[in-house]
């Protein structure tokens, strides 16, 4: 079916924020209903910066549990751990030979990460986009739902696909990025001009999916507003209030206009408390479900094993085609 295959992945490093939830997880939930979706825990990408091994393993499972708790349904999508499907690394090797060092050196994320990890500019960091291209191309992906910061990587995956197809004949579907619009931009609670980021130095700037009720309420109480008193959606002049309205709407399922009406004539204090409560109420069942799934080790192991097997079958098909095209002997 044309346009039907969706691929995305997330690195199991660090906690997810409510920005990730509204901007990415919820879109995956919608996509699984009518697309052939593959969603991976990108642990191979994660080790391009130093990771504590025990923590990486733990976070991989926690992330899978969180996704399941949010409503990803293993009957409707393929949820798996990247390193459990060996074709990712195998395809990456072949794609490396049609990718130029110069184009990798120019990648924004490579330049940023090289600056931040100057003592660890490893080959994997540079090869990161080629591994990501392998992820995407292995499944003959049509659509890649990603945040704005990953669009350059999807562009490179497209370039690599087109280049390979030109050189060896039609092999890969050329993917395109699906940029999240609605609610994609949840801003920092401390500086509405900036994106909510898990690595913000200010602990009040971001709300994690695992924050307890008290923490959530405290962070919203301290959220930056502005000197006016009106609760109105006007991102240019009222960045803080607009961000809170967006969050409230996302967690209550209301529109921003309805949210404005709910708070007409009310004060900032009452408003911030209500937003905090809406978020805490929304997170509570997800957190409980995540904890329950993490207890059920066999269930989780089974879901990931089944996911890896499904991914393996699809990946094997593409890799075999690639090996044939490039002239690799495959035993016959
Ligand atoms: N690089 C992506 C990120 O950090 C994660 C990722 C890995 C990915 N492989 C992917 C996203 C393939 C989309 C498609 O967000």
């Amino acid at each position: 079916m044309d346009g039907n295959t969706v691929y995305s992945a997330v690195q199991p490093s660090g906690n997810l924020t409510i920005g990730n939830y509204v901007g990415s997880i919820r879109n995956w939930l919608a996509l699984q209903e009518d697309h052939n979706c593959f969603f991976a825990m990108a642990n191979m990408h994660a080790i391009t910066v130093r990771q504590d091994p025990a923590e990486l393993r733990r976070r991989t499972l926690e992330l899978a549990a969180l996704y399941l708790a949010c409503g990803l349904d293993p009957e409707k999508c393929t949820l798996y751990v990247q390193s459990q499907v060996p074709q990712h690394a195998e395809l990456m090797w072949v794609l490396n030979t049609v990718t130029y060092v110069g184009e990798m050196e120019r990648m924004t994320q490579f330049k940023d990460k090289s600056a931040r990890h100057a003592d660890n500019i490893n080959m994997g960091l540079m090869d990161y986009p080629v591994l990501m291209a392998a992820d995407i191309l292995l499944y003959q992906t049509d659509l890649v739902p990603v945040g704005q910061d990953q669009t350059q990587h999807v562009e490179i995956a497209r370039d690599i696909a087109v280049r390979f197809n030109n050189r060896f004949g039609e092999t890969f579907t050329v993917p395109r990025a699906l940029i999240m619009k609605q609610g994609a931009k949840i801003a920092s609670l401390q500086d509405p001009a900036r994106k909510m980021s898990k690595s913000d130095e200010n602990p009040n700037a971001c709300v994690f999916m695992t924050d307890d009720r008290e923490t959530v309420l405290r962070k919203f109480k301290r959220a930056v507003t502005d000197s006016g008193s009106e609760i109105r959606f006007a991102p240019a002049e009222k960045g803080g209030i607009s961000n809170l309205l967006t969050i409230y709407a996302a967690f209550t399922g209301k529109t921003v206009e309805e949210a404005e009406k709910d708070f007409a004539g009310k004060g900032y204090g009452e408003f911030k408390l209500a937003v905090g409560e809406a978020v805490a109420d929304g997170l509570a069942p997800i957190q409980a479900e995540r904890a329950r799934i993490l207890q059920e080790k066999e269930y989780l192991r089974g879901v990931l094993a089944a996911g890896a097997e499904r991914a393996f079958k699809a990946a094997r098909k593409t890799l075999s085609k690639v090996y044939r095209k490039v002239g690799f002997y495959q035993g016959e």
Side-chain angles (χ1 to χ4, degrees):
M1 213 194 314
D2 196 35
N4 196 46
T5 300
V6 168
Y7 189 96
S8 199
V10 61
Q11 295 189 54
S13 47
N15 287 331
L16 291 192
T17 70
I18 58 167
N20 300 126
Y21 177 62
V22 174
S24 103
I25 305 181
R26 294 227 306 200
N27 293 297
W28 291 13
L29 296 183
L31 286 164
Q32 71 175 346
E33 296 302 329
D34 50 5
H35 290 75
N36 178 28
C37 294
F38 292 87
F39 296 125
M41 313 293 128
N43 57 349
M44 294 167 69
H45 280 98
I47 62 164
T48 58
V49 301
R50 287 193 187 91
Q51 302 287 340
D52 176 76
E55 201 161 294
L56 178 62
R57 197 173 295 116
R58 179 174 59 75
R59 283 187 191 281
T60 303
L61 289 176
E62 285 177 356
L63 188 62
L66 178 62
Y67 274 95
L68 291 168
C70 288
L72 273 194
D73 181 346
E75 303 288 320
K76 293 182 182 159
C77 68
T78 300
L79 185 69
Y80 73 101
V81 178
Q82 185 185 30
S83 63
Q84 289 198 288
V85 179
Q87 287 87 353
H88 290 255
E90 294 175 318
L91 179 60
M92 174 177 64
W93 177 253
V94 175
L95 298 183
N96 271 333
T97 65
V98 298
T99 307
Y100 299 102
V101 171
E103 49 189 356
M104 293 299 99
E105 282 171 337
R106 286 194 294 275
M107 298 298 286
T108 311
Q109 190 174 297
F110 173 68
K111 290 193 279 187
D112 288 352
K113 286 198 180 166
S114 305
R116 271 191 284 132
H117 305 274
D119 59 337
N120 186 22
I121 307 176
N122 60 77
M123 289 297 293
L125 196 59
M126 191 166 172
D127 216 14
Y128 183 113
V130 183
L131 178 58
M132 188 159 151
D135 296 346
I136 296 167
L137 301 183
L138 264 182
Y139 301 94
Q140 304 293 356
T141 300
D142 299 287
L143 295 172
V144 188
V146 283
Q148 193 64 46
D149 63 320
Q150 295 296 316
T151 52
Q152 195 183 32
H153 289 151
V154 180
E155 270 312 302
I156 276 287
R158 283 173 66 88
D159 291 349
I160 292 174
V162 168
R163 197 177 296 160
F164 190 98
N165 288 348
N166 285 339
R167 197 168 302 174
F168 296 102
E170 244 358 86
T171 307
F172 296 120
T173 301
V174 180
R176 81 192 155 76
L178 184 66
I179 317 262
M180 306 305 186
K181 293 179 288 296
Q182 237 300 308
K185 289 197 197 72
I186 299 263
S188 154
L189 297 187
Q190 293 296 312
D191 177 1
R194 289 169 49 181
K195 186 178 145 188
M196 181 178 282
S197 161
K198 61 189 174 193
S199 42
D200 206 299
E201 322 80 67
N202 187 332
N204 290 317
C206 112
V207 177
F208 292 110
M209 290 301 287
T210 48
D211 279 348
D212 61 24
R213 187 172 195 90
E214 196 190 324
T215 308
V216 171
L217 294 179
R218 176 168 37 81
K219 287 178 178 177
F220 279 100
K221 192 170 173 191
R222 295 188 185 160
V224 166
T225 50
D226 56 65
S227 54
S229 62
E230 238 185 315
I231 296 168
R232 183 163 55 83
F233 189 77
E237 335 142 40
K238 300 175 85 74
I241 293 294
S242 302
N243 187 40
L244 293 174
L245 279 167
T246 304
I247 295 172
Y248 180 82
F251 274 84
T252 54
K254 296 184 181 183
T255 64
V256 167
E257 295 75 53
E258 287 166 342
E260 281 178 326
K261 283 202 197 91
D262 282 0
F263 297 105
K266 304 243 163 86
Y268 282 175
E270 192 179 340
F271 173 52
K272 290 201 281 185
L273 179 64
V275 180
E277 278 174 343
V279 172
D281 288 348
L283 293 181
I286 296 175
Q287 292 170 350
E289 182 64 2
R290 172 182 173 278
R292 191 187 67 78
I293 292 170
L294 280 173
Q295 291 300 312
E296 292 200 24
K297 293 207 170 54
E298 272 314 298
Y299 166 75
L300 189 52
R301 202 194 55 76
V303 166
L304 294 176
E309 195 180 320
R310 268 214 301 274
F312 182 92
K313 287 197 177 127
R316 186 175 56 186
K317 213 163 136 204
T318 301
L319 190 72
S320 165
K321 191 168 167 192
V322 168
Y323 276 11
R324 193 169 68 243
K325 298 274 185 180
V326 300
F328 279 180
Y329 173 67
Q330 292 186 85
E332 1 78 47

